[in-house]
Amino acid sequence: MKNIFTKTNAEIPRLISVVLDQGLMSIITLLTTIVLVRTYDKIDYADLVLLFSIALFVLGFQSSIISKPYAISLNDFNMDSDKGYFQFNLNLKLLFTILLCLFFPLFYFLSFEIWNGKRFLFFLLYLVSHSSYFFVRETLLSERKTKQNLIYGLVCSIALGTLLFFIFFLKIQRIEIFLGIASVIYLSTTIIYLINNSKRRKIIWKQYLSYWKVNWKVGKWLLGANFLFHISSNIYPWFLLYLSSKDNIAIFAVLMSVAGLISPVLTALSSYLLPIFVKKNNNYDDVRSLTTKWQIVFGSMAFLLIIIGYVLGQNIVSLLFGVQYNDLGLLIVYPFIYQAINIFFQPNKIALNAIKRTDVGFYILIPRSIIAVVLGYFLISNYGLYGVFYTMLIENLFYQLIYYFIYRRIFAQ
């Protein structure tokens, strides 16, 4: 711990930048939920929850095949070739965006009851701009440009905060206005980044093929794992849609948004730590030592989150979202426990990704997804919203414990 937090450690400024940036994002994420819940009726908000679920799926798909392989493999290239690798990933992102535009009509048809051409276009615009903005963020963190990332995040957070202020106080109840302006904010930030960083570089076909093989080598496991992860973790709003009601979708989203306040910090710390672990990946003892040190930090965060959920959870929900979410009982505590489990085991996952064992998560997610679907259908059918959290705790604990045992077996060799 002394080595991590010493004042002379050159990593401290980078870490502070990441924490500040993600702290801002956490605040904006929470404010977004508060404002939208208090402004829109439960039906419209439930539609937004479904849209956000699709956005997370798209972002995970993009991260699996573009951003995370870039972070893991960038250290393998020299100064000249990594410029070509960067250009390749920009072009791959462009192709990804085109495919998103082609396939989104199917997503919309399966997810929303009534066809609305205007709303469809705003939903698509939001998905494209959201995924583009987070591509920029993940690229900057992969290159350890934490200061630049903080600047982009600060500008975007202030703009989104201003938008939420006007929506709340002017009682603007058209969700298209929120989606349209938020999309402009995300796209403007992305365009500024591309102007400052995108320098055309000619890459011959063989180079494209070799770069794709680099991405695919680790990305195929991340891609499969991401698909299975969304089945196991993001299927619940869809189960509630078909087995319960949109009101329960709104309650579920409110609970997960409060407990998930720390999720952006967790994501940023993981992105920040991955390059550090990668630099040590030739020495398993060094990786194991790093994992142990950071396990203390993440474990403390997990314990604190559970205490906050138990003591203050209901008060926080009532204060932020109003009396319509009072008296939720034990439902308040469950999402905090779920997030704490994710936090505690995060260093083990980072360590395995650093040594390019991205296949581990894929294989474990197969039984986890089966548990989520089969057990989730049974429990939600019988226990409604409580059944969601019963299923989430069971499948997540199973997944994380298996991940931990595999980590111990690999690094004990």
Side-chain angles (χ1 to χ4, degrees):
M1 293 296 292
K2 183 178 180 181
N3 290 333
I4 296 176
F5 295 107
T6 178
K7 292 182 179 179
T8 60
N9 195 327
E11 293 300 322
I12 291 297
R14 290 193 177 98
L15 179 57
I16 292 175
S17 295
V18 170
V19 172
L20 286 175
D21 172 62
Q22 296 307 308
L24 285 171
M25 181 176 290
S26 295
I27 293 171
I28 291 299
T29 301
L30 181 60
L31 285 177
T32 299
T33 304
I34 294 170
V35 170
L36 299 186
V37 166
R38 287 181 172 271
T39 304
Y40 304 137
D41 61 41
K42 286 186 176 180
I43 302 300
D44 276 344
Y45 181 65
D47 282 343
L48 284 178
V49 171
L50 296 176
L51 174 64
F52 295 156
S53 178
I54 295 174
L56 288 176
F57 176 76
V58 170
L59 185 59
F61 197 102
Q62 171 184 280
S63 180
S64 299
I65 206 65
I66 304 175
S67 300
K68 285 186 178 178
Y70 182 72
I72 293 172
S73 303
L74 186 59
N75 198 48
D76 298 337
F77 294 93
N78 58 41
M79 185 175 295
D80 182 61
S81 59
D82 66 6
K83 293 178 181 178
Y85 189 39
F86 171 78
Q87 184 65 48
F88 165 77
N89 278 279
L90 279 183
N91 293 337
L92 188 58
K93 164 58 184 168
L94 176 61
L95 176 61
F96 180 87
T97 301
I98 293 172
L99 293 175
L100 173 61
C101 294
L102 293 176
F103 281 98
F104 180 65
L106 178 62
F107 279 113
Y108 188 92
F109 175 77
L110 295 174
S111 305
F112 303 97
E113 299 170 351
I114 301 174
W115 172 263
N116 183 318
K118 185 177 180 181
R119 183 164 290 192
F120 164 81
L121 292 175
F122 276 100
F123 281 10
L124 177 58
L125 177 63
Y126 180 83
L127 290 177
V128 170
S129 60
H130 180 269
S131 64
S132 298
Y133 173 70
F134 279 90
F135 167 78
V136 170
R137 294 180 61 82
E138 290 187 322
T139 300
L140 288 171
L141 288 173
S142 298
E143 297 170 347
R144 311 199 65 210
K145 295 178 179 178
T146 55
K147 183 178 179 180
Q148 294 94 319
N149 182 66
L150 176 60
I151 294 172
Y152 284 111
L154 181 62
V155 171
C156 191
S157 295
I158 292 174
L160 288 173
T162 303
L163 168 63
L164 293 170
F165 175 85
F166 282 105
I167 287 177
F168 183 77
F169 286 100
L170 297 179
K171 301 298 180 184
I172 301 173
Q173 297 185 335
R174 292 179 57 194
I175 63 176
E176 291 85 0
I177 292 178
F178 164 75
L179 293 174
I181 298 178
S183 298
V184 170
I185 293 170
Y186 286 140
L187 282 177
S188 299
T189 309
T190 303
I191 291 171
I192 291 172
Y193 169 82
L194 292 175
I195 292 174
N196 291 333
N197 294 274
S198 181
K199 296 180 180 179
R200 296 298 301 174
R201 175 187 173 91
K202 186 177 180 180
I203 307 176
I204 62 175
W205 170 249
K206 288 185 179 179
Q207 286 179 310
Y208 269 104
L209 186 60
S210 65
Y211 290 144
W212 169 251
K213 288 180 178 178
V214 169
N215 276 26
W216 184 246
K217 183 177 181 180
V218 295
K220 60 185 177 183
W221 302 111
L222 294 170
L223 183 61
N226 173 71
F227 178 76
L228 293 172
F229 172 79
H230 282 280
I231 291 178
S232 61
S233 298
N234 290 329
I235 196 174
Y236 301 108
W238 306 94
F239 266 146
L240 289 171
L241 176 65
Y242 293 108
L243 300 176
S244 183
S245 66
K246 283 192 173 182
D247 283 0
N248 278 339
I249 294 176
I251 296 172
F252 172 75
V254 164
L255 290 173
M256 292 306 296
S257 68
V258 175
L261 183 61
I262 202 170
S263 291
V265 177
L266 180 64
T267 301
L269 282 174
S270 300
S271 298
Y272 164 79
L273 289 174
L274 182 57
I276 296 176
F277 275 64
V278 167
K279 288 185 177 181
K280 304 285 186 180
N281 65 5
N282 291 324
N283 189 319
Y284 278 20
D285 289 336
D286 288 346
V287 175
R288 185 168 56 244
S289 176
L290 274 175
T291 304
T292 302
K293 292 173 182 177
W294 282 100
Q295 194 92 62
I296 298 172
V297 178
F298 282 83
S300 301
M301 292 169 58
F303 178 75
L304 180 61
L305 186 63
I306 293 176
I307 297 300
I308 292 173
Y310 181 78
V311 176
L312 300 174
Q314 181 62 74
N315 292 332
I316 294 172
V317 170
S318 299
L319 176 65
L320 297 179
F321 303 105
V323 295
Q324 59 182 328
Y325 295 101
N326 282 351
D327 303 320
L328 294 177
L330 284 177
L331 278 175
I332 289 290
V333 183
Y334 292 146
F336 285 90
I337 298 175
Y338 176 83
Q339 291 288 5
I341 293 171
N342 289 334
I343 292 168
F344 181 79
F345 289 99
Q346 193 68 19
N348 307 120
K349 186 178 297 185
I350 296 171
L352 288 174
N353 282 338
I355 63 170
K356 301 186 180 181
R357 288 304 307 269
T358 52
D359 58 319
V360 172
F362 171 77
Y363 287 120
I364 307 174
L365 279 167
I366 294 175
R368 180 184 183 180
S369 300
I370 294 173
I371 292 172
V373 173
V374 176
L375 190 63
Y377 183 85
F378 173 78
L379 291 179
I380 295 170
S381 297
N382 288 276
Y383 301 103
L385 200 51
Y386 276 91
V388 170
F389 291 107
Y390 296 155
T391 308
M392 290 176 70
L393 292 177
I394 292 171
E395 51 89 359
N396 193 29
L397 190 59
F398 165 83
Y399 169 77
Q400 301 291 357
L401 286 175
I402 298 299
Y403 220 116
Y404 174 74
F405 290 138
I406 293 176
Y407 160 82
R408 289 291 301 270
R409 183 172 180 179
I410 291 175
F411 282 90
Q413 295 176 355

